[in-house]
Structure formats: C-alpha cells, structure tokens
Amino acid sequence: MQASNRLLDFPKPVFSMLWQFMQRFNYELAVLSRFFIAIVGGYFFTAVSVSLLSVVVPVSKVDAVLLSVSASILIYTLVFIYSFYLQSLKTVWISILLSVAVQFFILSLMKGWL
Amino acid sequence: MKGSFFRSMTWLHTWVGLLVCWLLYLIFFAGTISFFRDEVSLWNQPSIHNIEQQTDRIGAQKQQIISGVEYLNTQAPNAPNWRITLPEERVPYLTYGYAKPKEPEQRRASFENTRLDPNNMQPLAPFTDTRGGNFFYRLHFDLHYIDVKTARWIVCFASLFMLIALISGIVIHKRIFKDMFVFRANKGSRSWLDVHNLSSVFALPFHLMITYTGIITLIFMIFPYPAQTVYENGIRGFFNDVSPSSPVTESLQGTAPLVPINTVLDQVYTKWPEADITRVIINNPHKAAATIMVLVSPGKTLRDQSPRLIFSGASGELVAQTDDELTGSKALYESLNSMHTGRLAEPLLRVLYFLGGIAGCIMIATGCIMWAKRLRERMKKNTQPSWGLKLVEGLNLGTLMGLPLATSAFFLANRLLSKQVAERADKEILAFFLTWLCVFIIAFVKRDKLQWCVMAAINSIACFSVPLVNALTTQGNIISYLRNEQWALFMFDSLFLAIGLLFLLQTEKLRTALQAKKPTPINTQEQKV
Amino acid sequence: MIALLPFSLCLVAFNCFALAKFNHFKDVFNKRPTQQQRLVLLSVAWISILLSLLLCINELQGYGGLQFCGYMTLSALIVMTFYSFLVRLTKLFNLLILVILAMSTLFFGLNGL
C-alpha cells in the first residue's frame, strides 16, 4: 500500500511545477496558443478547404486546381483574422479543429478514401 | 482577444509587423530593384553598353532565327538542346546557345552561349561573370546562403504576415479617409506615424496586390494539395496538363533531319502576324523526337506564361500550343502572376511599380523606427535599455542603413573586381553580404544617433562613388550617357546621385540634431553657478 | 498624350476628395465649405475617378486596370505632397490641374473622335 502511494507521489511535484509555470506565463501562453492556431490551424484549414473546393467546383481539372489555388491565400487570411477576432480562445480552437475534421471527412467521402 | 476588435487588430498589427519587418524590408528592397533587373544587368555588363537600338527589332527576328539555326547546326549538331534568345526592348543582345553535356551532379545542363550585337551580327566582347539584376531578383524570394526551399517557405510566411499586417492596419486606421493627407512635422513619433500612414495609404492597392500575388507565385509549393487531390500523379500530373507538351513526339525513336526553320516560322507568322518572338528552343535536333518551340511575348495582356507553339522537328507540323482563349480560372491565375512579376509593364507602368515598391520600403522602415521610438519613450528614465530595445534598434540600424550600403558595395565590386578573378559573380555577392555584416557589427556595438549620422554619411559617399567609379573604369559616364541617349544607364547613375543627395540631407539633419543636444561650455558654467 | 486624360481625371478626383475636407478647403479658399459645396465636390470626385477607370479599361482591358491603379497611386502621392508639405502652393496646384484637364480633354477629343 505504502509503496504504491510513494510511486503515485512522484508525478505530483512535476505537475504542480507545470501548473505554476502555466499560471505565471498565462498571458504569454495564450498569445502563443492563438498564434499557433492561427498559423498552423489556418494552414490546415486552408489546405483541406481548398482541396475540397477543387473537387466540388464544376470545371475542368486544370481550372479547378488553378481556381482553388488562387483563392487559398484569401481563405488563409480570413481564418487568421478570425482567430484574432473571437474573444474566446477555446471557441477558436474548437471551431477550427472541428471544421477541419468535418471538411476532411467530406473530402474523404467524395474521393472514396473511406 | 483584447477587448474590442479594434484593439485586438492594433495589437495584432504591431506584433505581426514586428516579427518580420526586417525580413520584409529586405524583400521589398530587393524586389523593388528587381523591377529594373534588366537595366541593372545592363549596367553590370560594360560589353553591352554601346549596342545601338535596333531600328526594326521585330522585323529582324526571322533572319536572326535562321542565322541562329545555321550557326548552331555547324557549331553543335549533336547537342541535346539549342536555344536562340532574341533581343528584347530592355535586353539589347542576341544569344545563340547550346547545352553542354550534363555533369553528374548538375540538375540542369549548362549552356555555351555566343552573344552577338544584333545590328551587325558580330560577337560581343566576352561577358564579365556577374549575376547583375538577377541577384536582387533571386534575393527577394530565394534569399541567399540558405537552402532554396526553406528560404521560400520563410518568405511565404513573412508575406502572409505582411498581408495580415496590411489588413489589420486598414482596420485600425479607421480615420483612413478623414486623415488621408495629414502630416504633422517635427512631432517625434507622431510624425513617423504620419509618414507610415501616408506611405501605406497612397499605395495601398499596390501593397495589397503585390503581397497577395507574391504568395500566389509560390503557391504550388505551400499548397500542392488541390493538385494532389484532383490528379492521380499529383503535382506532376497537373504541371503536365497545364503547360503544352508533346509526349507522343518526344517518345519517337531514331534520327531524322531537322525541317528548315522557314516552314516553322511561316506557320508562326500565319497564326500570329505581329508576333514578337522571344525565344526559339530546339530539343534533340536531328532526331525523330525533335521539337521546335517558339515563344512569343505576351505583350500587354495579363499573361505570365509566354504563349508558345510547339512543332515536331522532323515533320514541321504543329503538335502543341498554349490556349488562344483562357478560361476564367486560367485567366485569373495568369493575371495574378503577371501582376506580380510585372513583366508586361511598359516604361510608365514600370516606374509606377517602382514607386509603389519604394512606398512599401518607406512604410516598413517607418514602422520599424516607430517601434524603436515607442519602446524608448516608454522606457523609464535613468534605466538601461532592455535587451529587446537594443535588439530592435540594432536591427533597425543594421538593416535600414546596411542594405543601401551593401547595394553600393555590390556595384562597386562589379566595377573594381578584375575580370579574371575566379567565381567573380559570387565574390560580388560576397561583397554585398560582408558590407551588410560590417554594418550589423557596428550596430551591435553601438546604435545611437551618432552611428546613424555616420552611416548616413558613409552611404552618401558610397552612392556618389558608384557613378564616379563607373566613369573611371568604363568608357562612358553619366554625361556621355545623356549625350548618346543611353537612358537606362543615365537613369541608373542619376538615381545613385539623387540617393546620395538624400543621404547627405539625412546626415545634415542628424548632425544638427546631435549638435543641438550637446551642451556648450558656457551653459554648463552657468548651471554650476 | 492621350494617356493624360485618365491620369488628369484621377488627379482632379483626388484633389476634390481632399478639398471636401474642412482643413484643406480652408487652405485653398480661406473659408469653410458648406454642406452643399462638399456634396458637389464629392460627386465630382467620384464621377471623375470612375470615368478614369472606365477610360483605362476601355483602352487596354486588364492592363488598363493596372494602369488605373498606378494613376491612382501617383495622383494620391501628388495631392498628398501638396496638401501636407506645399500648402502655400495648393491654390496654384488647383489651377494647374484644371488647365491640364482641359488640355487633355482637348487632345482626347481631337485624337479620339
């Protein structure tokens, strides 16, 4: 009993140190998190939405690719601004992750990967 | 994020700008120079300074092509690739080239080029080994001394941040129409803010366009996904589909005599009577798989990919061509690309592009300076500057004063390095970067107003010495350029004189500001009493 | 010379946009503009700039669009320079651009029609 208690004791100081670190740098971490979702989340959102667009648009293959690619930066910019538009960081993370997943799912269905 | 949308955009604008402003200054600086890269290459190459303008440039093309094919046939009948590059408005010489056998490590074959004066078809004096305007062109997206792919990713993200900074800047400058022409002089950081706003607003369409289209030029590197989704063999499949090619012809085996080039040219002129041919590329001459590709200038249409006709070299029939009519999507993509490269711009529009580029440089530079001034103003009295402030001020001095100096050094090196030096082109580029490094070292040590004043003076001297050294080392000089109507060279030298004057003005301004700060001996005595 | 008309229209447009503001109007005419005068100036400005865009695109389609942006940039710069730095010369400037507009309209009329 005592031995297992001591084993469980080990992670505690690490967790509390981590927790203190996160509370002290709360603002900086929030900033980093927002930039991360804007840049990386934005990139994946654009990648998946632009691929979906190229499959959905009723034009020739070459045209579909060229059209999607021309619009890609517009989409990326909008997602980036969106990440800084909403107040709640949680909402931003969830909405972007969810929309990327949904679009990827639809894309997989359309392309028959699933 | 921070209260209202307005406040979060202000915060975003400052931080996104701060992260990349110095890199963006480099990109804009080199990019603006690249709009005149043909003229820069011309200046760097004294052997082509005195080529006369052809009286009928387009009319002479047919004969130049015919002579070229004859010449290449005698010189290198077995070379895998012949390339005839015809003179253009801004590139006055004719080139006949053939591919040399590829070395094992080389990605592409190097070419043996013979350059001729198109007026008398005489070979020109051997070219100096210099990158010329292409150095600045490559610098603004490939950077230098870094792996090309990494550099392009960095530039793409920096440009994305620039776009975000522009948009957030528009949002926060809500007084954009009210304050459109406001400038308050001599009010410290407020004046810098006004210049920042002015330079951003008056060229705003340009800034938005050049940034967006700039990323579009590299779009297939960062978003290959649409091509990979739509095509089974991914991006290769897409590229094969989008540019005209002739896989059937190219897979033929055996040899076959090359058709007379006349038959091909007749077809070209039948289809496009006013064609301004830029290049003729013959692949695998004297083989059954031979192709002859004729590229014409897109002129003033918004197309970046040169319209071209591809003929079979053995039979002379047309096997592939670019579309006559572009679909909406193709037209969109081509317009975006051509708007960025600006290859279609004739002199007036090219100058306007240059003006926009300079506005961009001013916008970024004032942004950098404002940030440093704001940090300093917020600093509590009698404390040491934080390392952040030192870093920002150091980078400002190093980049804003270092790049112009490095550019002057590049051109001075071009004139002063002897022709026989090995890897001369790389040495000129080394001169550029070494000079820049020196300015950074000075900035690392100290970065006060005195250093700015000294650097401005050095820049002024360097700018004045470029046309001077040019006059001493080549046959022409700024006066002879004016007399002989060699406008490109005249404008180049004049621009350096004008910029030298601007640096002189800056030196004076900083000198008076420094002297005003210094207490005179009488004043200090009075204070003691 | 024909190119001068779209450019001078742009110049007039930005000048009118500037004049529609109280401080710049005061610099030229020494009094505040009435609401009606402001309305007239703004309408003239918008008509002028749209006419310039139309002429550019009519002449050279896509390339003309680019040229129009270039003209806008240059006009904005010139107007900005006068109203911020050369305030005393603004009256002369106003007169000058009217003359240029008249001349270029004449050229356009003689050559275009």
Side-chain angles (χ1 to χ4, degrees), chain A residues 27 30-31 34-35 39 42-44 46-48 50-52 54-55 59-78 80-81 83-87 107 111 113, chain B residues 1-5 8-9 11-12 15-16 19 153 157 160-161 163-164 167-168 212 215-216 219-232 238 241-242 327-330 332-333 336:
Chain A
Y27 174 69
V31 168
R34 209 176 269 265
F35 265 110
I39 299 174
Y43 180 81
F44 283 111
T46 314
V48 80
V50 135
S51 307
L52 191 59
S54 66
V55 170
V59 289
S60 75
K61 279 181 164 187
V62 177
D63 287 354
V65 172
L66 288 174
L67 189 64
S68 342
V69 135
S70 303
S72 59
I73 296 298
L74 184 63
I75 298 174
Y76 201 160
T77 313
L78 288 173
F80 201 106
I81 302 272
S83 315
F84 284 90
Y85 177 71
L86 291 192
Q87 281 257 36
L107 182 64
K111 288 291 291 183
W113 296 335
Chain B
M1 162 140 198
K2 270 181 146 278
S4 65
F5 183 48
S8 57
M9 285 295 114
W11 182 94
L12 183 63
W15 280 100
V16 150
L19 280 174
W153 273 98
F157 272 101
L160 178 73
F161 282 10
L163 199 55
I164 300 293
I167 295 174
S168 52
Y212 192 92
I215 309 177
I216 294 289
I219 201 70
F220 286 109
M221 185 187 72
I222 51 177
F223 290 119
Y225 313 109
Q228 288 170 344
T229 315
V230 169
Y231 285 85
E232 292 76 40
F238 169 70
D241 225 4
V242 85
T327 58
S329 314
K330 284 211 190 93
L332 176 65
Y333 180 75
L336 289 174

Side-chain angles (χ1 to χ4, degrees), chain B residues 23-37 40 133-143 354 357 361 403 407 432:
Chain B
L23 176 61
L24 281 174
Y25 186 77
L26 172 66
I27 296 173
F28 262 77
F29 186 86
T32 309
I33 295 179
S34 314
F35 280 130
F36 284 107
R37 68 168 160 147
V40 170
N134 285 317
F135 164 61
F136 293 103
Y137 170 64
R138 290 273 156 191
L139 181 64
H140 97 283
F141 61 95
D142 279 348
L143 305 180
F354 191 75
C361 291
L403 272 176
T407 309
F432 178 93

